[in-house]
């Protein structure tokens, strides 16, 4: 008994428990990051295309996407096969029970086709049809012809897209006039003049678009002449337009180098491409762009504002009731949940300010809102309010590291207070300001809840920056990495198929935030070291 | 002598003053914006408090004796049916236009209008009961909006011996009119069968009302309320339920949704009734769900077509009530005497009354949020169709007559449930970890842990929520037994490991570097976790007959949601641990090192020094750390949005989900129409969240200051 | 007759309700080195800061009496404080270089004054650094950070920085207190050389230093001027008992 008491007094058990708690906390962070990296990084790595011969005689062709214990049969496992061919089977995935499988093969001839629509296709190539005739897969020149067909159709598709963009630009004035006509009619105003204008614009559009449409039809016709004949696992044949193919992957015949190249090119496509198939495939470029632009706008607001506040607290005001109140306000801003800022942003920026701007400057299209609905500007302002304390705190730390003697030195040379601040204090505090900015950026890049109220969308029809004046469209809605994760991960109808895309997005966002934070931490540690050394 | 740069100097001084002004302004702006944020949110939800008001808009006179009236949707024209059998369209400016009801013999004996204002039932001079469809449709031809009247008879019954018309309802194609008889009432209908359906009450009906489907009819006789169902193959009316009435009924009316029947009586009281399942299966009884006391006999009850508001017309007054909140909203001001008919406008934004003296009075009504009151937000409410008062959040429903149920209690409970489960998990870990790092660990370890914990704080919550919901929730579901068991086995294993370690010879222990001890701890934890998971299946078979969830449902009666409070606790823990850890670590490192070394010098072990000196001295800071962690957990949005089922349940079970205030705002506010009730209630929720976190943070600071003063003497 | 470079007339000043200087009247002759000595806390720095109004930035500062620079009241509203500080330069006890390059440190004052011609700036850099006896040591690394210099070099940089504004008067507050003997000797050499161009008022604790460099010496005690005079006379034949005790090291 006394032994036990003595042992408890010595505290080894307590120390071990506390150590276990520390390990648990660290394991949480490390585990989370490791899980994200391992799970996400693997999705784009090419997998072999498996052919499973089932006992009932049917054949399943596809990639293995995980396995688990068979709930219907203890001791055996079942495999989740990505069988693709959504247009044929309806679903991309199916479970195959271990007991069903008679044989597993990786047929060298099996191909994976990545398509613009309907997801992956798995099958065996048979022949290529092109305007010059048909080439069988056994023909030695098949690969050359296929490469040519792919290159040719890709060029045609690009031309087609360019045409469509031009056509939609032609349509813009008409769409805007339509809105104005509708608004005028609803308000009971005379819409005859507008109506006439609209008709004229429509006619103009039609005459301008007619050659485009003809060209489009011609392009499509040329693209349609290339097609690939594939045999599916069950022996039926399908003809796929070559223009619908993104990649042709002879998955079971690839060298490691080819696999690596494919892996990298999938990442490049992911980071730089447009989303497809309601965000479950393709890239996330608009989300990256939206996040970056929103954060940039926010930085433009929050840094001056935060620095000015920190300057006020540190350089201009002494300790008094007012500065105490400002500090209290800041502490509160830092503690208020982000969703409250979102609610405020929606109620104030979007509905009150945005609604007011619409009534003043865009009344011709009301009630269709221009600024009176969520947009990138309002989101940036909301996040700026949210991140002000971050910038202020870091800037203050930077300002406090400036020795008083340096300020005195500048004043003694005849500098005014502002000159002292601008020429000496601010340069000295730059690392602090930078730290604050980076932390604010990291916080804003990862914050989602307020954005959901102030202008983020799952699929933005256009980027907020483009070639139509005024080039920067602050009223537009935007896509965001964090919201993309939430939306695709939780609102998507086809979660399994979307998994690679979501996990990769998670990796991108996490990487961004981690890198930013590490940069801020390093910078701040350097600042603190300087603070310590200048204090002695 | 240096040249005096006078001009330049003046400019520099001007610039200096300007900068001072700007910077001071910027500082003030922060204060202003926080105050503004609060005030703005407050102002946005203030309208919830108002019960609304009615403003008289004057009256116009007409040169005939009015009987009944109805108003168009835009409140431009009142269609008044006169005793002369002519329909007059009376506009705001007093001008009017007359349309004769063909085939109606004046003078009319009586008339009534259905709840939508589109069907008029009348009895003409020959005693013929007729139903006319009166529609005022807006037309968009030419300049501005015009009104187009379509007027047609939909039911013409031959003269019959019967009492007064009680009610009319239905649509143009299928209208019905309820006429009193000495034994109850007759229901005359268009279309189906020529013979009227008799509603047998064994005594004369004094009031009645019909659902618009004509499937149910309510009758009130001298002392009784009766509910009939009409239909079936035989096209008969069968009495479904009855209930005695305390006073002589004078008027009946069906509240929007046609579930609740209002009964107005001669004593001036309005009671609300609904048919509910009785104690015997299949039999319904009439249940009084609300009572609205008042003075002066009720003449008519006129429900709104928009919500559960209704107008009660008395001899010389008209009052507005709301069924669900049981509130009397207000009385129509300057109500004239000798009113023969009054009603609410179709959009419930106005009211009108016509008097026997030929005046048409109008009011505009501003009733923004009648369905919200303090009690609907925070107390149990008995909604239509409920048998007991309940706390429900349900903001959207299928039909247009759906009643939103906006009780904040499930959200508040959900918020604190999630936060408490999170703290249960994270507070011990974070505090103990901070203790370890500050008191036992070598300095180098601190240099590693600090940035890692900071990184943890920076993890975007959307990522944490995503992983929790899609990766860990299924994992935890599959291994719930092992996960829960680990909460016990891991500490036990660690303590056992410590005991083993103490048993080692001292020289061997000495040789171990401090970080090596942590490795041993890690090994103990890993061993415990591995063992627990390995034994999981056997334990489940032994204790829970092979399936924990089935066992839970059968033996405890608790269902298991995949996204539940345990998952949220873990996920929120990731967000909360760094907050608590950082503040607790600061609190520990602020304890003067001299105090601890003094204690060590007196022969105390490191643990004793920590227990008797460091922990008491740091306790205010530790308390503040936990409180601020709580504040963070309460306000977190994305994690709970993703890792809870997001259903507004009122359950404290760790295996059920919940909906928090923050998640509710995030999901519902973007869809809530600006200025609407849901919008304002959600803004109120945001304000509440603001207040809660503000209070939590303030309490944290205050208590820590207070305790610090107490321990300050000890530390000094 | 030209007025003294610096003068106070019945100056009483202090902070809050603590009076530091009592009725001090003093004149500092132009183009000479005047040393201000006295025990710690007697108000030497405070008196020094009166001349360029640096006290104004301190909390609770008040003053009565007059402070004159070249015969002109420093509180003259038509004389902006920045202009005064161009005339009266100051070097502090601890070196306080700015986080800029050596060159930019020196040019801080000229740039404030609006000098923009490249050759004029260049000339200032060279001349100021030479005046501060620093030129030879830094002429190859003018663009290096000022923080890379040693403590003594930094202090001479601060002197160069003050001289670059071409002041008439230079206030030095214990400039050698943070330096080793060799650096101190170099600094003293610098100060003596400077006196050809400017009037120097030097606060020092080091009596030998005062004896070595100063033409005149003022002894301040508890906020009052006890004695002033030619350095040699003050040290060798003090007229006041207090002075004698102080210079012989019997207290302080
Ligand atoms: N900012 C201030 N606020 C209040 N009192 C001050 C302030 N600065 C100096 N004092 C007081 O004024 C008196 C004189 O200070 P001063 O710095 O002038 O002394 P000193 O002679 O320069 O001393 P030392 O030789 O130690 O530098 C001291 O008693 C000091 O406490
Ligand atoms: Mg001094």
């Amino acid at each position: 008994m006394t032994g036990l008491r003595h042992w408890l007094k010595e505290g080894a058990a307590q120390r071990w428990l506390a150590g276990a708690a520390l390990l648990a906390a660290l394991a949480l962070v490390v585990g989370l990051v490791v899980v994200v990296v391992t799970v996400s990084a693997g999705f784009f790595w090419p997998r072999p295309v498996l052919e499973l011969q089932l006992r009932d005689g049917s054949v399943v062709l596809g990639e293995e996407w995980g396995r688990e214990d068979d709930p219907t049969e203890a001791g055996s496992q079942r495999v989740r096969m990505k069988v693709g061919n959504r247009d044929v089977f309806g679903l991309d995935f199916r479970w195959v029970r271990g007991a069903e499988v008679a044989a597993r093969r990786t047929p060298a001839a099996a191909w994976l086709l990545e398509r613009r629509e309907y997801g992956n296709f798995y099958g065996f190539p048979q022949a290529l049809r092109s305007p010059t005739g048909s080439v069988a897969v056994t023909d030695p020149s098949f690969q050359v012809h296929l490469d040519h067909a792919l290159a040719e159709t890709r060029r045609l598709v690009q031309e087609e897209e360019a045409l469509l963009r031009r056509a939609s630009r032609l349509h813009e004035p008409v769409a805007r006039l339509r809105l104005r006509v509708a608004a005028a009619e609803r308000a009971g105003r005379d819409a005859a003049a507008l109506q006439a204008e609209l008709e004229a614009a429509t006619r103009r559009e039609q005459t301008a678009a007619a050659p485009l449409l003809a060209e489009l039809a011609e392009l499509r016709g040329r693209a349609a002449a290339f097609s690939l004949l594939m045999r599916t696992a069950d022996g039926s044949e399908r003809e796929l337009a070559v223009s619908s193919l993104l990649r042709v992957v002879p998955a079971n015949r690839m060298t490691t180098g080819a696999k690596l190249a494919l892996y990298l090119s999938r990442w490049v496509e992911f980071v730089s491409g447009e989303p497809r198939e309601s965000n479950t495939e393709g890239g996330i470029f608009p989300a990256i762009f939206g996040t970056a632009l929103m954060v940039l706008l926010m930085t433009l607001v929050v840094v001056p504002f935060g620095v000015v506040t920190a300057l006020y607290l540190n350089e201009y005001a002494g300790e008094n009731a007012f500065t105490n109140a400002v500090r209290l306000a800041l502490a509160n801003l830092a503690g208020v949940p982000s969703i409250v800022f979102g609610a405020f942003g929606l109620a104030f920026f979007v509905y009150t300010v945005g609604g007011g701007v619409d009534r003043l400057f865009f009344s011709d299209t009301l009630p269709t809102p221009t600024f009176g609905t969520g947009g990138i500007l309002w989101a940036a302002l909301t996040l700026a309010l949210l991140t002000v304390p971050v910038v202020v705190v870091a800037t203050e730390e930077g300002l406090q590291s400036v020795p008083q003697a340096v300020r005195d030195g500048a004043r003694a040379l005849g500098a005014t207070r502002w000159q002292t601040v601008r020429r000496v204090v601010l340069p000295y505090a730059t690392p602090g300001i930078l730290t604050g900015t980076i932390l604010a950026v990291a916080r804003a890049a990862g914050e989602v809840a307020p954005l959901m109220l102030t202008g983020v969308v799952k699929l933005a029809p256009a980027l907020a920056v483009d070639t139509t004046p005024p080039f920067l469209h602050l009223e537009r809605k935007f896509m965001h990495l964090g919201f993309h994760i939430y939306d695709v991960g939780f609102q998507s109808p086809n979660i399994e198929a979307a998994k690679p895309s979501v996990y990769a997005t998670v990796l991108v966002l996490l990487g961004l935030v981690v890198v930013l934070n590490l940069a801020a931490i390093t910078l701040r540690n350097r600042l603190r070291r300087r603070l310590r050394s200048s204090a002695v | 002598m240096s040249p005096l740069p006078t001009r330049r100097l003046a400019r520099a001084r001007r610039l200096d003053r300007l900068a001072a002004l700007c910077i001071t302004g910027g500082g003030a702006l922060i204060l202003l914006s926080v105050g503004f944020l609060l005030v703005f949110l407050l102002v946005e939800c203030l309208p919830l408090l108002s019960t609304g008001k009615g403003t008289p808009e004057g009256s116009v006179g007409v040169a005939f004796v009015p009987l009944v009236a109805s108003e168009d949707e835009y409140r431009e024209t009142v269609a008044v049916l006169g005793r002369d059998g002519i329909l007059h369209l009376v506009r705001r400016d007093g001008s009017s236009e007359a349309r004769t009801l063909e085939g109606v013999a004046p003078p009319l004996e009586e008339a009534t209008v259905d709840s939508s204002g589109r069907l008029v039932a009348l009895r003409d001079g020959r005693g013929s009961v007729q139903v006319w469809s009166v529609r005022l449709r807006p037309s968009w031809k030419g300049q501005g909006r015009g009104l187009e009247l379509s007027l047609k008879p939909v039911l013409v019954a031959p003269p019959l011996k019967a009492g007064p018309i009680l009610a009319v309802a239905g649509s143009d194609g299928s209208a019905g009119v309820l006429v009193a008889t000495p034994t109850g009432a007759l229901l005359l209908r268009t279309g189906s069968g020529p013979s009227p359906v008799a509603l047998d009450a064994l005594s004369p009906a004094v009031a009645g009302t019909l659902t618009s489907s004509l499937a149910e009819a309510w009758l009130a006789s001298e002392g009784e309320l009766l509910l009939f169902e009409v239909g079936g193959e035989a096209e008969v009316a069968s009495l479904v339920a009855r209930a005695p009435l305390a006073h002589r009924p004078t008027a009946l009316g069906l509240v929007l949704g046609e579930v609740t029947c209002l009964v107005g009586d001669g004593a001036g009281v309005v009671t609300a009734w609904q048919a509910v399942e009785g104690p015997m299966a299949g039999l319904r009884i009439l249940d009084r769900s609300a009572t609205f006391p008042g003075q002066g006999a009720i003449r008519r009850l006129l429900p709104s077509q928009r919500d559960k508001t209704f107008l009660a017309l008395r001899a010389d007054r008209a009052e507005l009530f709301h069924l669900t909140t049981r509130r009397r909203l207000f009385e129509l001001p300057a109500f004239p005497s000798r009113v023969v008919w009054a009603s609410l406008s179709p959009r419930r934004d106005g009211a009108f009354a016509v008097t026997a003296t030929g005046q048409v009075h109008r009011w505009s009504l501003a009733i923004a949020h009648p369905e919200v009151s303090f009690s609907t937000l925070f107390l149990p409410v008995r909604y239509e169709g409920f048998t007991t008062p309940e706390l429900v959040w349900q903001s959207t429903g299928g039909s247009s007559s759906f009643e939103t149920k906006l009780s904040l209690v499930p959200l508040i409970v959900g918020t604190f449930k999630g936060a408490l489960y999170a703290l249960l998990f994270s507070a011990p870990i974070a505090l103990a970890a901070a203790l370890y790092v500050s008191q036992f660990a070598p300095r180098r370890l601190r240099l590693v842990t600090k940035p890692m914990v900071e990184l943890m704080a920076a993890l975007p919550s959307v990522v944490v929520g995503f992983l929790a919901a899609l990766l860990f929730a299924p994992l935890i579901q599959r291994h719930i037994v092992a996960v829960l068991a680990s909460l016990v086995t891991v500490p036990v294993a660690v303590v056992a490991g410590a005991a083993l370690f103490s048993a080692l010879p001292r020289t061997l222990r000495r040789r171990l570097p401090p970080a090596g001890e942590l490795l041993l701890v890690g090994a103990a934890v890993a061993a415990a976790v591995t063992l627990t998971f390995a034994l999981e299946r056997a334990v489940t078979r032994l204790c829970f007959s092979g399936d924990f969830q089935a066992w839970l449902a059968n033996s405890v009666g608790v269902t298991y949601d995949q996204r539940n409070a345990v998952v949220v606790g873990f996920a929120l823990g990731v967000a909360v641990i760094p907050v608590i850890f950082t503040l607790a670590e600061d609190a520990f490192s602020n304890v003067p090192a001299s105090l601890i070394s003094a204690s060590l010098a007196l022969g105390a072990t490191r643990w004793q020094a920590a227990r008797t000196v460091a922990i008491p001295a740091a306790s205010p800071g530790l308390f503040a750390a936990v409180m601020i962690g709580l504040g963070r957990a309460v306000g977190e949005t994305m994690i709970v949005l993703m890792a809870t089922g997001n259903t507004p349940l009122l359950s404290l079970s760790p295996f059920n989900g919940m909906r928090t205030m923050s998640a509710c705002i995030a999901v519902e506010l973007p869809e809530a129409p600006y200025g609407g009730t849901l919008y304002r209630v959600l803004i109120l929720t945001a304000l509440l969240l603001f207040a809660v976190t503000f209070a939590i943070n303030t309490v944290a600071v205050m208590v820590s200051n207070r305790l610090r003063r107490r321990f300050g003497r000890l530390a000094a | 007759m030209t007025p003294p470079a610096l003068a106070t007339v019945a100056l009483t000043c202090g902070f809050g309700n603590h009076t530091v200087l009592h009725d001090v009247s003093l004149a500092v002759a132009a183009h000479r080195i005047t040393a201000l000595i006295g025990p710690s806390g007697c108000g030497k720095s405070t008196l020094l800061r009166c001349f360029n109004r640096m006290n104004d930035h301190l909390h609770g500062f008040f003053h009565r009496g007059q402070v004159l620079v070249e015969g002109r009241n420093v509180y003259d509203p038509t004389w902006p404080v920045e202009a005064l500080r161009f005339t009266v330069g100051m070097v502090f006890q601890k070196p306080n270089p700015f986080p800029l390059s050596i060159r930019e440190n020196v040019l801080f004052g000229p740039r404030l004054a609006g000098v923009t011609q490249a050759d004029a700036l260049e000339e200032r850099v060279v001349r100021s650094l030479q005046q501060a006896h620093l030129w030879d040591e830094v002429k190859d690394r003018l663009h290096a950070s000022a923080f890379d210099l040693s403590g003594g070099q930094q202090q001479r940089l601060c002197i160069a920085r003050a001289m670059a504004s071409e002041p008439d008067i230079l206030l030095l507050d214990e400039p050698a207190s943070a330096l080793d003997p060799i650096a101190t000797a170099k600094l003293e050499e610098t100060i003596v050389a400077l006196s050809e161009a400017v009037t120097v008022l030097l606060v020092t604790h080091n009596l030998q230093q005062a004896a070595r460099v100063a033409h005149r010496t003022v002894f301040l005690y508890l906020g009052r001027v006890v004695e002033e005079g030619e350095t040699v006379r003050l040290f060798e034949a003090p007229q006041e008992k207090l002075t004698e005790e102080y210079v012989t090291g019997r207290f302080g």
Side-chain angles (χ1 to χ4, degrees), chain A residues 98-410:
Chain A
E100 285 179 296
V101 181
R104 276 169 79 98
R105 281 190 300 270
T106 48
W111 274 13
L112 152 65
L113 305 182
E114 290 177 19
R115 299 183 291 180
R116 286 179 213 281
E117 276 172 357
Y118 303 118
N120 287 355
F121 186 94
Y122 301 93
F124 301 93
Q126 301 295 302
L128 176 73
R129 300 213 176 106
S130 63
T132 54
S134 174
V135 188
V137 70
T138 45
D139 193 307
S141 65
F142 177 78
Q143 190 61 44
V144 180
H145 280 99
L146 179 63
D147 288 344
H148 168 73
L150 281 171
E152 181 67 16
T153 50
R154 186 162 304 141
R155 196 178 55 73
L156 290 173
V157 167
Q158 273 166 7
E159 276 180 33
E160 189 182 321
E161 279 166 359
L163 272 180
L164 285 175
R165 270 199 300 278
R166 268 167 64 196
S168 81
R169 255 208 302 282
L170 284 177
H171 182 66
E172 253 164 43
V174 176
R176 190 164 168 79
L177 269 171
R178 275 234 169 87
L179 277 181
R180 288 176 58 187
V181 169
E185 278 179 356
R186 209 166 296 129
R189 273 182 273 124
D190 186 9
L194 279 174
Q195 195 79 46
E197 216 177 308
L198 173 63
E199 271 155 29
T202 313
R203 268 195 306 277
R204 266 202 308 280
E205 187 203 343
Q206 273 161 2
T207 43
L212 292 187
L213 292 180
E215 203 178 333
L216 197 65
E218 199 256 344
L219 279 176
R220 286 195 175 142
R222 267 163 61 197
F226 294 93
S227 68
L228 187 62
L229 191 66
M230 297 288 292
R231 184 170 60 76
T232 58
D234 55 10
S236 64
E237 295 204 330
R238 285 190 77 81
E239 202 172 324
L240 305 174
V242 177
S243 60
S244 73
L245 303 181
L246 285 170
R247 269 196 206 90
V248 174
V249 183
N252 295 341
R253 268 194 314 219
M254 289 173 81
T255 60
T256 315
K259 280 184 182 172
L260 192 66
L262 175 62
Y263 179 73
L264 291 180
S265 91
R266 278 178 177 168
W267 268 110
V268 169
E269 184 208 331
F270 180 72
V271 182
S272 63
E274 301 276 333
R276 294 191 313 266
E277 300 283 282
S278 63
N279 287 1
T280 59
E281 283 178 20
I284 53 164
F285 177 72
I288 295 178
F289 185 85
T291 310
L293 183 64
M294 188 271 297
V295 164
L296 181 75
L297 288 174
M298 179 212 72
T299 312
L300 291 182
V301 178
V302 76
V303 170
F305 195 34
V307 170
V308 159
T309 306
L311 278 181
Y312 172 73
L313 288 175
N314 249 286
E315 305 292 318
Y316 280 77
E319 282 294 304
N320 57 34
F322 186 70
T323 47
N324 283 342
V326 173
R327 276 179 208 281
L328 188 77
L330 274 173
N332 258 311
L333 268 189
V336 170
S338 59
I339 190 72
V340 175
F341 287 101
F344 174 76
L346 179 72
F348 180 66
F349 291 130
V350 175
Y351 288 144
T352 308
V353 180
V357 169
D358 274 3
R359 275 191 298 283
L360 279 181
F361 302 109
F362 299 93
S363 55
D364 53 343
T365 53
L366 280 175
T368 308
T370 308
F371 275 97
T373 174
I376 195 162
L377 176 65
W378 303 140
L381 289 179
T382 305
L383 284 191
L385 204 55
L386 180 83
T387 47
V388 158
V390 179
V391 178
V392 174
V393 167
T395 307
E396 274 210 88
E397 194 170 336
L399 292 177
Q400 277 154 10
S401 77
V402 183
Q404 186 57 36
V406 171
R407 291 191 189 91
D408 286 346

Side-chain angles (χ1 to χ4, degrees), chain C residues 15 18 20 39-46 49 58-59 174 205:
Chain C
F15 302 93
H18 168 52
V20 177
S40 185
C42 68
K44 303 183 296 289
S45 301
T46 306
R49 288 197 307 260
L58 299 176
H59 187 71
E174 296 177 44
H205 272 288

Side-chain angles (χ1 to χ4, degrees), chain B residues 34-69:
Chain B
V34 174
F36 180 73
L37 197 149
L38 243 174
V39 171
F40 185 81
L41 290 181
L42 200 68
V43 167
E44 283 290 287
C45 51
L46 269 186
L48 285 177
L49 292 180
S50 119
T51 51
K53 69 174 201 283
T55 317
E57 292 185 327
S59 66
V60 296
V62 292
F64 57 88
V65 184
L67 265 184
V68 290

